[in-house]
Amino acid sequence: MPTEKVQTDNPSRERVLGRIRAGLRTAVVEPTALDRGRVIFEPVSDPLERFQRECVANLMECALTVDCAASARELAQVLQSLPAGEIFVQDDPSLRRLIEMAASAAVSGRPIRWSSQGAPAEASQATLTLAEVLIAQTGSVLVTAACGGRGASVVAPCHIIYAHVAQLVPNLATALGRISQQRIFDHNSFACVISGSSRTADIEKILVQGAHGPRRLVVILQSGS
Amino acid sequence: MSTAAQRFLHDAAEKSADLMHREIIRRGMDSYDAAHLKGRARIKDWEAARQKCQEIKREAVNHLDRYLLQFEEKVTARGGHVFWAANGEEACAYVTNLATRLGVRTVVKSKSMVTEEIHLTPALEKAGIKVWETDLGEFIVQLREEPPYHIVTPAMHLNRGQIAKLFREKLDPAITTDDPVELMAVARRKLREAFFAAEMGISGANFLVADAGVIAISTNEGNGRLCTSVPRIHVVVTGIEKVIPRLEDLAVLWPVLATSGTGQGITTYGTLIGGPRRRGEADGPEEFHVVLVDNGRSQLLADAEQREVLHCIRCGACLNICPVFRHVGGHTYGTTYPGPIGSVLTPHLNGIKEFQHLSYASSLCGACTSVCPVKIDLHHHLLQNRRNAVSAGANKPSERWMFRAWRYAMLRPQSYELGGWAMRKALRLIYRLGLAGSAFDPMQVWNCYRAPVPLPVESFRAQWRKSVRSNGDSAT
């Protein structure tokens, strides 16, 4: 895994840059800039209510829970509804605890592969991860490579996210601003804003849920400690 | 061999008369129109959003060298490779050599119009590499061995029955259903094998974010996610104009692209990738290569009128609204980029002489300009291309002679009158002989599909003179 700066043999680099610079010497008359007072998106007044509403629009499932025990029960319920088979879990203390609490019925007999053991298997029935933030404006979850890797949110037919209400941000701009402020890409090679289950409308513009990625995206959203 | 213009006219006539094609496109566009309007209503001030996007892209394009270098610096610092390709051949050679050197036998591709533009797939196949298109629409047109019909929905010219038949012939003779859910499931099963067998994933990029040094890809199906997560090598092939200054710019570009492309509030997966898998990460490619393709784009920078064509974010909105596209369909254009943006761009990329006819594939109604999310003045650019073709002497000698004669007559009223009289006489005779619409008819192009417009008994001039005479001074 290279992390050192690399040299690429680039015979045309200077030529392309030269052409760009030559082109940019042409003066172009431009219209005036945007009036800064205009508001593009309606401000989000109640992030939780908005997030839940957008989840419905995005065909996601969002279960609001009061505490860890309720979240564990919710997780058990989701897992019970799935066919037998391995699940992939981000190796994080909070998720280890949640799995332990959900235990018995749902998890027993189901092999668990932790992200510390590598990528999720192609045949995984579900993946369970955390998220960096939840975005109210668009009903989205932001995951990074730290949330179990890249495949954790796309390989299995069901992706379950365990999140806390405190992770809600009002809009996309705030979420993207946080990526910049926290220098997320200094530590992660990947981030993704996910807004619903995988889908396509390539045949007669008819919406089909569950294309190459998960058919179900479940957010277990906990409000208490 | 027929010219591109002759092929266009032939195919346009054929497609316009294809009632099944018209019905499929009408339904598809109706569904897009409804979603697009609904999507726009979700944005409080759509015009302000368009203007913001225009400003972002303008800033990026006006400082293209600076932002590309900033992007390159970040990516290479994380162990990624950035290759600058002056043209399509260089880009194809780089990717093909890389694949050969690293022992790649199978490639999975997510949707990328630039790879279509540079003909990357044939180049890889020539090197003995199997290439799978993984976007459902792209997969369908790949099986049919035809280019994408539309830049966002590549298979929108086909109905479920045709797709079911195709899958039966090419994938599994046991398929009995034409249910889109089942057809998607068949494609999913087939492509899953490809995703997990492939050594290389190739994607495009909707944006290159300079300050964060990441590529941004918008996809709904998740195929783009798998292409960039599972194989051990990830290659991004994209145009130099895709760069944007800041990560926060996506807060408006993502919703606007989704709204204009499909009518969604936001695309399902907005993926950001900044390099190869890092130490400690569970998965991801070990190699990350970004191929920046110029291929004629830098020439557009020097065009004071049309530099803004590089602002295009390839949403397809101008195709969807264009009355010409809706009638003649995507394949008729015979270009990588169809519709208004393709008609503007192609003469720049592939030569004004061969593709000037596309500037006339427009009624100049301005519908394209009115929907463009980055406010490209598309219909005026079509008009400018018409002028440029004439200035470059690319129009037909017969057209030049005709306009010379017209100019001569316009400056000499008597000659004009004489010409009008002769033309009315000639047309009357031709129509009387039943030759309307034939090769002898100067109005053939119009009359071959329509009943001739009745000829006036006398010219406008004669009518005017009479009216002046009968009304006396009051008419003057």
Side-chain angles (χ1 to χ4, degrees):
Chain A
M1 279 165 271
T3 48
E4 298 299 311
K5 186 167 176 147
V6 292
Q7 286 295 320
T8 311
D9 188 23
N10 249 321
S12 293
R13 185 175 181 274
E14 292 312 312
R15 187 149 62 105
V16 174
L17 275 167
R19 281 189 202 164
I20 292 172
R21 286 169 181 151
L24 287 175
R25 279 197 281 275
T26 304
V28 174
V29 182
E30 276 155 6
T32 48
L34 176 68
D35 171 10
R36 297 288 152 201
R38 288 168 77 171
V39 178
I40 295 173
F41 301 104
E42 191 78 57
V44 175
S45 52
D46 181 347
L48 179 59
E49 182 274 334
R50 176 69 179 262
F51 181 77
Q52 288 177 299
R53 186 152 47 92
E54 295 296 333
C55 280
V56 175
N58 289 343
L59 308 174
M60 293 156 65
E61 299 164 45
C62 177
L64 199 60
T65 59
V66 286
D67 57 17
C68 202
S71 299
R73 281 196 299 278
E74 193 61 45
L75 173 65
Q77 247 175 36
V78 176
L79 291 178
Q80 270 166 343
S81 69
L82 300 174
E86 185 175 281
I87 60 168
F88 174 89
V89 185
Q90 177 188 341
D91 199 346
D92 181 89
S94 65
L95 290 175
R96 281 195 178 262
R97 198 168 64 242
L98 193 73
I99 286 280
E100 262 169 44
M101 289 173 77
S104 58
V107 188
S108 64
R110 209 185 258 285
I112 295 180
R113 186 178 170 86
W114 298 93
S115 61
S116 50
Q117 296 170 283
E122 199 260 311
S124 305
Q125 284 303 330
T127 53
L128 171 63
T129 71
L130 302 174
E132 299 286 345
V133 295
L134 310 177
I135 305 161
Q137 176 198 356
T138 49
S140 315
V141 293
L142 170 69
V143 296
T144 59
C147 304
R150 300 189 190 192
S153 51
V154 75
V155 164
C158 177
H159 178 204
I160 307 160
I161 290 157
Y162 178 44
H164 198 275
V165 171
Q167 287 176 282
L168 268 169
V169 297
N171 54 35
L172 256 179
T174 319
L176 292 165
R178 200 163 289 184
I179 296 181
S180 299
Q181 285 151 21
Q182 297 182 353
R183 306 174 75 88
I184 293 270
F185 286 106
D186 286 358
H187 322 287
N188 291 274
S189 67
F190 153 90
C192 189
V193 173
I194 303 176
S195 313
S197 54
S198 124
R199 66 198 57 196
T200 184
D202 273 352
I203 301 177
E204 292 187 8
K205 293 257 176 198
I206 295 164
L207 182 70
V208 177
Q209 232 187 318
H212 295 290
R215 277 182 209 103
R216 283 179 76 186
L217 179 61
V218 184
V219 182
I220 300 175
L221 186 53
Q222 191 175 306
S223 56
S225 58
Chain B
M1 210 182 103
S2 60
T3 64
Q6 285 165 337
R7 279 195 299 273
F8 180 91
L9 287 175
H10 173 267
D11 294 354
E14 199 172 87
K15 276 293 159 201
S16 305
D18 179 343
L19 296 183
M20 185 155 125
H21 173 262
R22 291 177 78 106
E23 180 58 17
I24 295 171
I25 299 310
R26 190 189 59 75
R27 273 203 222 162
M29 293 305 186
D30 281 355
S31 141
Y32 166 83
D33 287 345
H36 181 225
L37 280 176
K38 218 170 123 190
R40 268 165 63 159
R42 291 168 55 100
I43 297 178
K44 185 178 159 66
D45 188 341
W46 174 248
E47 284 309 312
R50 288 176 74 206
Q51 201 167 335
K52 179 76 185 163
C53 291
Q54 182 192 33
E55 283 173 19
I56 293 167
K57 287 296 295 190
R58 188 193 296 143
E59 189 196 337
V61 168
N62 283 351
H63 304 94
L64 199 56
D65 53 339
R66 186 212 298 169
Y67 288 124
L68 284 171
L69 289 172
Q70 194 184 358
F71 170 81
E72 181 191 39
E73 163 90 35
K74 293 262 179 185
V75 171
T76 51
R78 297 190 198 107
H81 299 257
V82 176
F83 179 77
W84 301 65
N87 51 42
E89 292 79 51
E90 284 186 12
C92 288
Y94 180 78
V95 182
T96 310
N97 291 341
L98 181 72
T100 315
R101 180 162 58 81
L102 298 175
V104 172
R105 286 181 301 172
T106 308
V107 164
V108 279
K109 260 185 89 239
S110 76
K111 208 172 146 28
S112 153
M113 290 308 293
V114 179
T115 59
E116 296 287 337
E117 174 190 324
I118 64 171
H119 308 294
L120 179 59
T121 301
L124 287 165
E125 284 171 344
K126 211 171 150 195
I129 296 160
K130 173 76 190 158
V131 181
W132 292 91
E133 289 288 350
T134 61
D135 170 85
L136 178 61
E138 290 280 349
F139 180 57
I140 291 166
V141 293
Q142 187 188 30
L143 289 177
R144 283 172 62 94
E145 295 173 30
E146 62 185 21
Y149 177 91
H150 184 287
I151 60 180
V152 175
T153 39
M156 80 173 294
H157 59 305
L158 302 171
N159 63 24
R160 62 178 93 181
Q162 291 167 307
I163 295 165
K165 184 167 169 277
L166 175 75
F167 279 16
R168 248 193 316 278
E169 286 168 7
K170 303 271 179 161
L171 299 178
D172 181 1
I175 296 169
T176 52
T177 173
D178 65 358
D179 177 5
V181 177
E182 295 298 323
L183 295 175
M184 178 65 236
V186 172
R188 177 184 165 113
R189 279 197 297 276
K190 189 76 197 165
L191 290 170
R192 273 271 156 159
E193 294 166 20
F195 282 125
F196 286 87
E199 299 90 356
M200 179 185 275
I202 297 179
S203 74
N206 295 91
F207 304 102
L208 304 170
V209 186
D211 72 345
V214 298
I215 63 152
I217 313 177
S218 296
T219 62
N220 279 311
E221 295 181 7
N223 62 312
R225 297 283 321 280
L226 288 165
C227 282
T228 59
S229 301
V230 183
R232 65 182 160 84
I233 308 150
H234 175 199
V235 179
V236 185
V237 181
T238 190
I240 51 172
E241 82 286 12
K242 294 289 174 71
V243 77
I244 56 168
R246 294 159 297 266
L247 192 63
E248 281 87 336
D249 294 332
L250 293 173
V252 59
L253 284 168
W254 266 346
V256 166
L257 173 61
T259 302
S260 297
T262 59
Q264 290 169 283
I266 189 163
T267 310
T268 306
Y269 299 106
T271 308
L272 304 168
I273 298 169
R277 160 191 195 176
R278 297 179 74 92
R279 207 163 276 127
E281 288 182 355
D283 55 6
E286 291 155 18
E287 295 227 10
F288 179 67
H289 298 253
V290 181
V291 181
L292 299 173
V293 180
D294 179 345
N295 208 29
R297 288 163 172 78
S298 54
Q299 284 167 33
L300 259 167
L301 288 171
D303 189 324
E305 285 174 334
Q306 300 199 19
R307 181 186 289 174
E308 66 161 7
V309 173
L310 295 173
H311 296 182
C312 176
I313 57 172
R314 307 279 188 264
C315 67
C318 63
L319 281 62
N320 298 339
I321 198 136
C322 178
V324 175
F325 183 94
R326 286 180 178 221
H327 284 81
V328 306
H331 286 149
T332 296
Y333 289 82
T335 55
T336 306
Y337 305 100
I341 185 65
S343 299
V344 171
L345 191 61
T346 309
H348 289 282
L349 300 184
N350 300 352
I352 189 122
K353 205 167 167 62
E354 199 186 348
F355 291 97
Q356 57 150 326
H357 61 283
L358 295 177
S359 314
Y360 298 89
S362 164
S363 62
L364 301 179
C365 66
C368 46
T369 305
S370 75
V371 294
C372 177
V374 287
K375 298 183 76 165
I376 301 173
D377 195 359
L378 286 157
H379 68 296
H380 282 109
H381 295 322
L382 288 171
L383 203 54
Q384 289 154 3
N385 279 355
R386 293 183 190 184
R387 181 205 58 204
N388 294 347
V390 172
S391 308
N395 55 337
K396 281 189 259 175
S398 58
E399 186 188 303
R400 282 201 291 276
W401 279 109
M402 231 150 65
F403 274 99
R404 255 177 232 163
W406 185 75
R407 181 173 184 272
Y408 179 90
M410 284 300 280
L411 293 169
R412 292 165 185 82
Q414 280 178 338
S415 308
Y416 192 92
E417 199 169 3
L418 182 69
W421 173 84
M423 187 59 107
R424 279 195 304 281
K425 285 277 175 209
L427 285 178
R428 200 160 282 137
L429 181 67
I430 286 165
Y431 293 173
R432 203 174 294 148
L433 293 172
L435 294 172
S438 72
F440 298 101
D441 181 2
M443 305 294 285
Q444 185 197 11
V445 178
W446 177 270
N447 287 342
C448 64
Y449 293 116
R450 304 166 185 86
V453 178
L455 294 163
V457 180
E458 51 191 0
S459 71
F460 174 75
R461 256 166 216 279
Q463 289 176 34
W464 179 262
R465 273 197 293 261
K466 263 188 203 163
S467 147
V468 170
R469 224 174 286 142
S470 62
N471 292 335
D473 285 345
S474 64
T476 59

